[in-house]
C-alpha cells in the first residue's frame, strides 16, 4: 500500500514545527547513546521481525536521540564524529536489531553527499533539517536494468531552471520512514545527480512492498516518481563526487561492514545465552551442563575468533577512513577503500557463519519458529547480498600483486 507521509515542514513557510532532537556533543556521548538505545531496542527485536511490525516508534527515538545528526560537521552545529565512532554506533545498533541499524545507513550516505558536493546554502538548510531530527531515505537502486549502475530515472531541466523527476526505484531502504528522499537520477547530460525530494511531494508514491526473507522491517520497497517538480537548489551534482580521490564508497561500505559485524556479534551473544540457560549437553560428553561440553566450548571459541576478527578489521578500516579524511590523496583514499573492503568481506562471512552456527551449538529447540532465532541468519544472508564480496577480494588481490588502486565508485 502507499504510505502516509511522516510529518514534514514546508520549506517555504515553516508552518510545521521540527521534531524535538537532542544535540549530541561529542564521540563519547554518541557511543553512550548507541549502547543505551541498543539495550532499549534489543528486547523487542525478535517480535518486531516475526510480526513485521514497522519500527516507527524506535526510529522516532533514534531521531530524538540526536544520533542521526552526529556526522554533521561541527561548523554547522553537529558533533562531526570520527568514522571510528560512526562504525561503532552502527555495530552496536545492529547487534540489537539489524533492520533498525540498516534503515539509517542511507541517511548517513546522503549526508555525506551534501558534505562532499552540496553548496553552502544546501548544507546549511539540510544539515539544519538533520539536526532537527529529520531523516533521509533512499531511492537509488532500480530493478530490471542492465546492472546496478544502469540508472534510468530521469531528471529533466525545465525552462525556469527547476527539474522534473520521473522513474521507479526498488530496494528503497528508509524511504517509507523518511522526511526527505534522496533520489539518484541521470540528467540531460547523462551524468548522475541526487535530487532531495520531500516524502510528501506531489508525484511521489512510497509503496510498502518489501518481501525479503530478512531485514523484514527495513521496508525496502518501491518508490515511484511521476512528474515530480524539484527546485534547482535541491539537486546535487553527484557525478563530481567521483572526480579525484574520494571516500564516498568507503564510508558507505564501512557502515555495511559495521552492520554485518553487529549481526555476527548479536547472534553469538544470543547463542551463548541460549546454551547457558536452555541447551542440554550431548549424552556422550559426560558433563552435566551444555556449557561444559568441550566440543561446544571449541566451537564457541572458533565463532568468537570470527567476531573478533571482524571487529578488528572494522576498527582498522574506520581508522583508515579517518586518516584519509585528514589527508585525502589518491594513496590514502585507496588505502581506505581496501581496508574497508577487507572488513566487509570478513564481516559478511562472520555474520552468515555465526547466524547459521547458532543452531549447531544451541541444539534442536533453537529451530522453533516461535523463538525466531533464525532472524540472525536471515538478516545476515539478506544484507550480505547488497554487493558481491568476491569483487572486493579481486581488488585486494590486484593491489597485493600489481599495486592497482581500486576503482572510484560508490560500492568500494
Amino acid at each position: 500500500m502507499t504510505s502516509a507521509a511522516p510529518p514534514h515542514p514546508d520549506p517555504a513557510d515553516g508552518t510545521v514545527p521540527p521534531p524535538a532532537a537532542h544535540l549530541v556533543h561529542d564521540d563519547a556521548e554518541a557511543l553512550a547513546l548507541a549502547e543505551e538505545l541498543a539495550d532499549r531496542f534489543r528486547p523487542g527485536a525478535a517480535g518486531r521481525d516475526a510480526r513485521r511490525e514497522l519500527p516507527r516508534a524506535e526510529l522516532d527515538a533514534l531521531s530524538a536521540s540526536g544520533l542521526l545528526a552526529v556526522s554533521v560537521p561541527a561548523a554547522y552545529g553537529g558533533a562531526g564524529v570520527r568514522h571510528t565512532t560512526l562504525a561503532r554506533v552502527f555495530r552496536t545498533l545492529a547487534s540489537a536489531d539489524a533492520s533498525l541499524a540498516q534503515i539509517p545507513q542511507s541517511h548517513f550516505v546522503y549526508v555525506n553527499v551534501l558534505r562532499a558536493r552540496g553548496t553552502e546554502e544546501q548544507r546549511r538548510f539540510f544539515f539544519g533539517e538533520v539536526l532537527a531530527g529529520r531523516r533521509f531515505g533512499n531511492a537509488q537502486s532500480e530493478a530490471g536494468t542492465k546492472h546496478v549502475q544502469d540508472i534510468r530515472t530521469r531528471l529533466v531541466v525545465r525552462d525556469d531552471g527547476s527539474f522534473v523527476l520521473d522513474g521507479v526505484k526498488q530496494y528503497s531502504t528508509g524511504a517509507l520512514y523518511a522526511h526527505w528522499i534522496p533520489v539518484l537520477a541521470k540528467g540531460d547530460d547523462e551524468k548522475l545527480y541526487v535530487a532531495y525530494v520531500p516524502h510528501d511531494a506531489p508525484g511521489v508514491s512510497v509503496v510498502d512492498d518489501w518481501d525479503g526473507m530478512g531485514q523484514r522491517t527495513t521496508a525496502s520497497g518501491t518508490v515511484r516518481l511521476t512528474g515530480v517538480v524539484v527546485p534547482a537548489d535541491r539537486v546535487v551534482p553527484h557525478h563530481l563526487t567521483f572526480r579525484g580521490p574520494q571516500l564516498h564508497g568507503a564510508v558507505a561500505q564501512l557502515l555495511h561492514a559495521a552492520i554485518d559485524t553487529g549481526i555476527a556479534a548479536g547472534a553469538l551473544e544470543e547463542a551463548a545465552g541460549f546454551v547457558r540457560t536452555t541447551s542440554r549437553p550431548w549424552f556422550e560428553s559426560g558433563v552435566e551442563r551444555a556449557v561444559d561440553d568441550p566440543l561446544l566450548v571449541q566451537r564457541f571459541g572458533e565463532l568468537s575468533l570470527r567476531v573478533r576478527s571482524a571487529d578488528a578489521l572494522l576498527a582498522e578500516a574506520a581508522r583508515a577512513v579517518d586518516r584519509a579524511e585528514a589527508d585525502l590523496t589518491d594513496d590514502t583514499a585507496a588505502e581506505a577503500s581496501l581496508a574497508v573492503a577487507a572488513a566487509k568481506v570478513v564481516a559478511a562471512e562472520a555474520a552468515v557463519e555465526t547466524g547459521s552456527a547458532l543452531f549447531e551449538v544451541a541444539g534442536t529447540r533453537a529451530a522453533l519458529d516461535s523463538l525466531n532465532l533464525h532472524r540472525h541468519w536471515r538478516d545476515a544472508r539478506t544484507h550480505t547480498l547488497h554487493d558481491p564480496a568476491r569483487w572486493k577480494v579481486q581488488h585486494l588481490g590486484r593491489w597485493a600483486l600489481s599495486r592497482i588502486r581500486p576503482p572510484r565508485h560508490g560500492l568500494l
Side-chain angles (χ1 to χ4, degrees):
M1 66 177 183
T2 302
S3 74
H8 176 74
D10 182 344
D13 60 27
T15 55
V16 179
H22 171 70
L23 180 62
V24 179
H25 293 92
D26 55 31
D27 295 70
E29 186 180 6
L31 292 170
L33 280 169
E35 293 285 354
E36 178 184 325
L37 286 169
D39 288 342
R40 177 175 169 181
F41 297 154
R42 187 175 287 107
R48 284 191 297 272
D49 176 90
R51 297 185 296 271
R52 197 174 179 272
E53 183 179 291
L54 300 184
R56 295 185 185 275
E58 289 77 15
L59 279 173
D60 286 344
L62 191 58
S63 291
S65 75
L67 272 182
L68 297 185
V70 295
S71 66
V72 172
Y76 296 89
V81 301
R82 297 185 298 273
H83 291 97
T84 49
T85 297
L86 193 59
R88 194 69 189 180
V89 165
F90 269 78
R91 190 265 195 210
T92 299
L93 293 174
S95 71
D97 186 328
S99 286
L100 261 176
Q102 175 62 27
I103 291 166
Q105 191 268 347
S106 292
H107 170 92
F108 283 93
V109 167
Y110 286 103
V111 168
N112 273 355
V113 169
L114 291 162
R115 289 180 61 171
R117 291 300 172 184
T119 65
E120 183 62 23
E121 291 74 19
Q122 288 171 329
R123 290 172 185 162
R124 282 203 305 267
F125 175 76
F126 281 114
F127 291 162
E129 290 284 278
V130 172
L131 287 165
R134 297 190 182 97
R135 297 185 288 268
F136 292 163
N138 148 45
Q140 179 170 295
S141 295
E142 300 179 13
T145 57
K146 185 176 181 181
H147 50 70
V148 71
Q149 292 194 331
D150 179 18
I151 303 297
R152 297 179 185 176
T153 299
R154 308 302 300 186
L155 189 67
V156 178
V157 67
R158 304 200 306 175
D159 291 341
D160 63 0
S162 64
F163 296 86
V164 174
L165 190 61
D166 288 280
V168 179
K169 299 288 189 176
Q170 274 81 33
Y171 312 118
S172 301
T173 301
L176 188 70
Y177 313 107
H179 299 89
W180 291 89
I181 302 176
V183 181
L184 190 63
K186 282 192 175 178
D188 295 333
D189 56 3
E190 294 300 317
K191 295 177 180 177
L192 283 177
Y193 294 83
V194 174
Y196 288 75
V197 178
H199 183 288
D200 55 358
V204 176
S205 175
V206 182
V207 185
D208 182 15
D209 57 358
W210 172 238
D211 191 33
M213 69 173 182
Q215 303 287 90
R216 286 178 173 175
T217 64
T218 59
S220 301
T222 302
V223 174
R224 295 192 176 96
L225 308 137
T226 306
V228 180
V229 177
V230 185
D233 62 357
R234 299 292 181 262
V235 176
V236 176
H238 191 37
H239 58 93
L240 296 179
T241 300
F242 305 100
R243 292 185 182 176
Q246 51 80 36
L247 295 171
H248 176 79
V251 173
Q253 290 289 302
L254 179 70
L255 301 185
H256 282 305
I259 292 167
D260 288 338
T261 303
I263 293 172
L268 182 61
E269 181 59 31
E270 190 150 11
F274 193 91
V275 170
R276 282 194 296 265
T277 61
T278 306
S279 295
R280 297 180 298 177
W282 184 242
F283 70 94
E284 289 179 283
S285 68
V287 299
E288 293 296 319
R289 303 182 307 161
V291 293
D292 297 322
D293 182 333
L295 297 182
L296 278 182
V297 171
Q298 178 71 20
R299 189 64 176 123
F300 269 96
E302 293 168 351
L303 295 173
S304 178
L305 283 172
R306 302 288 188 272
V307 175
R308 285 173 177 267
S309 298
D311 268 326
L313 285 172
L314 179 68
E316 174 51 34
R319 289 192 293 267
V321 174
D322 282 331
R323 290 193 297 268
E325 187 173 65
D327 179 24
L328 189 59
T329 66
D330 284 333
D331 286 336
T332 60
E335 289 168 6
S337 285
L338 291 168
V340 172
K344 180 70 162 54
V345 171
V346 171
E349 292 173 348
V352 173
E353 180 181 358
T354 307
S356 176
L358 185 156
F359 302 98
E360 170 194 339
V361 296
T364 305
R365 190 168 186 273
L368 293 178
D369 195 53
S370 59
L371 297 175
N372 200 17
L373 295 177
H374 48 69
R375 74 186 185 281
H376 298 290
W377 181 86
R378 288 188 288 100
D379 284 341
R381 186 63 281 177
T382 301
H383 183 252
T384 55
L385 296 175
H386 182 273
D387 55 280
R390 58 187 177 273
W391 277 99
K392 290 174 172 53
V393 176
Q394 281 282 311
H395 295 307
L396 288 164
R398 290 171 186 175
W399 174 256
L401 282 172
S402 307
R403 288 298 186 262
I404 298 173
R405 293 191 186 107
R408 294 170 178 160
H409 57 62
L411 295 171
L412 194 66

